[in-house]
Amino acid sequence: MIIRVLAILSVFVVSAPAFGQVLSEDYRRLLAEAAATQGDAGFAETVDLIARVSPGGAPAVLNALAEIAPDRLTLAENRFIAADIVVAQQMVDLQPQPVDEEIAVAERDDGNGFLPMLDAWSGRLSAGLRVDSGNSDQQDYSLGLEIERELAEWGFQGGIDYAYSEANGLTSRDQLRIDARGEREIGERWSLFLAGEYDQDQLSSYDYTTFVGAGVGYRPALPESLDWVLRAGPGIRFVSPVTGDAESQFAIDLESSFEWQVTDTSRFAAETTFLIAESTRAEQTFTFITALNEVWAVEAAWHYRHEFDPLPGFEEGDSRFDISIVREF
């Protein structure tokens, strides 16, 4: 036991003059990778080794872990503590440093371009009331699910939107929409994407439509509170009319996705889509979201769809207004 205590004390004696130093960037990256990929035993050996060879010693390792992987801090402290030696008291109160988002992402990266699951993915569930006008004038109940993975070389965004209502005991609305997009960075502001959608609504001109396409995206330089993505690319639109034969059409997909963080608790979004084909379609959505707390929010959205060549008996435009309670995760 005495030998063990002396060995651990030697780590701090050697590194004592460096208590105020910050762990170098190379060691921070190594520490972040170990925290993300190693089990407890392997991680304990890694922090022990870094503490012995780095200029800052064990206190610098603990300071770095407090920022990078606070859930592994206790494990590292236990590795350094022997008998009545309290390592935590030797940690330095460093002044908070500005966080570089690119470095923060790199520190969470597992080396293959994938971020840890809980950090990288987010989503939202919504339930509410929908008011339609156009080809149908009625109120529907709606459910929605959206998931998203932030870009760290690649990202993903997908959603399911479902509306249902009854009139006089009969189903008057049974609408389903599914969309998904995978995207990969190819530069500071450019990306490549592959997207697809499925839309089923028998109260419109078509029983269902699908679209699959690929293209390029561009993100203009804007203030931190604003985010704007422009996308364009070719694809195939498949339409199944209420009457007549189904057919496929070559299409050009043009999209604009804009977000404005108005305040800490409110956000505005505008989505514009033009699907240029033999049966051209345009869509516009405006959404305003107000957070009630960290996970719950109220969302109000207005959506308009315009089919430029509807079937006889159908109107060109459909609009709807949604008010929903949202659970974010």
Side-chain angles (χ1 to χ4, degrees):
M1 175 63 72
I2 294 177
I3 295 175
R4 182 184 173 197
V5 171
L6 290 175
I8 295 175
L9 279 172
S10 66
V11 174
F12 302 113
V13 170
V14 171
S15 61
F19 282 172
Q21 294 186 14
V22 178
L23 201 64
S24 72
E25 195 58 44
D26 288 339
Y27 284 126
R28 285 173 64 89
R29 291 183 182 276
L30 178 60
L31 200 59
E33 182 176 354
T37 60
Q38 292 184 334
D40 288 351
F43 181 70
E45 293 179 0
T46 299
V47 296
D48 192 352
L49 176 62
I50 295 176
R52 292 176 183 276
V53 300
S54 66
V61 170
L62 295 177
N63 281 324
L65 274 179
E67 301 173 17
I68 296 171
D71 57 315
R72 293 295 192 98
L73 188 59
T74 301
L75 176 63
E77 288 176 342
N78 291 338
R79 180 73 176 192
F80 298 143
I81 293 175
D84 59 349
I85 304 172
V86 183
V87 178
Q89 294 178 353
Q90 300 185 42
M91 292 179 63
V92 182
D93 257 342
L94 298 177
Q95 293 298 320
Q97 300 296 320
V99 177
D100 187 314
E101 186 60 28
E102 291 184 2
I103 294 178
V105 169
E107 287 176 344
R108 302 197 308 271
D109 203 319
D110 68 0
N112 295 313
F114 295 90
L115 301 180
M117 182 67 70
L118 294 180
D119 290 339
W121 291 89
S122 61
R124 55 207 304 273
L125 288 167
S126 62
L129 180 68
R130 173 174 297 172
V131 180
D132 291 277
S133 61
N135 284 299
S136 61
D137 294 288
Q138 60 183 30
Q139 294 181 351
D140 312 314
Y141 300 104
S142 63
L143 292 172
L145 168 65
E146 295 179 18
I147 56 174
E148 183 175 1
R149 185 191 194 282
E150 63 186 84
L151 277 174
E153 291 190 5
W154 73 274
F156 176 82
Q157 187 173 29
I160 300 174
D161 186 75
Y162 180 68
Y164 178 85
S165 63
E166 293 183 354
N168 300 321
L170 299 175
T171 299
S172 58
R173 166 76 81 189
D174 191 357
Q175 179 183 6
L176 173 67
R177 176 166 181 153
I178 303 172
D179 59 78
R181 178 174 56 246
E183 197 160 9
R184 181 178 179 84
E185 292 177 334
I186 57 172
E188 184 179 356
R189 305 201 178 280
W190 295 89
S191 61
L192 296 175
F193 72 87
L194 177 65
E197 68 172 45
Y198 173 84
D199 193 341
Q200 175 182 300
D201 183 9
Q202 295 183 1
L203 295 184
S204 68
S205 293
Y206 303 100
D207 279 340
Y208 66 89
T209 67
T210 62
F211 174 77
V212 177
V216 63
Y218 176 72
R219 291 167 171 77
L222 294 172
E224 186 176 352
S225 61
L226 302 177
D227 184 49
W228 190 21
V229 185
L230 300 170
R231 299 184 178 92
I236 299 295
R237 188 186 190 197
F238 188 83
V239 296
S240 177
V242 175
T243 59
D245 298 329
E247 61 179 30
S248 59
Q249 304 171 357
F250 176 77
I252 298 294
D253 183 27
L254 304 176
E255 300 178 20
S256 169
S257 178
F258 175 81
E259 282 195 8
W260 173 28
Q261 190 70 41
V262 183
T263 67
D264 290 341
T265 59
S266 60
R267 184 171 79 253
F268 171 79
E271 300 277 346
T272 307
T273 302
F274 280 97
L275 201 58
I276 303 172
E278 183 179 341
S279 301
T280 298
R281 183 191 73 198
E283 292 185 274
Q284 177 67 62
T285 303
F286 296 110
T287 306
F288 193 83
I289 303 171
T290 301
L292 301 177
N293 53 37
E294 292 184 357
V295 296
W296 291 98
V298 176
E299 177 182 287
W302 180 80
H303 177 88
Y304 178 77
R305 173 185 292 179
H306 191 91
E307 292 282 358
F308 287 83
D309 189 23
L311 295 177
F314 289 89
E315 296 184 19
E316 292 182 341
D318 278 301
S319 65
R320 70 173 190 252
F321 176 77
D322 292 86
I323 184 75
S324 305
I325 295 294
V326 177
R327 172 66 161 83
E328 298 185 339
F329 58 90

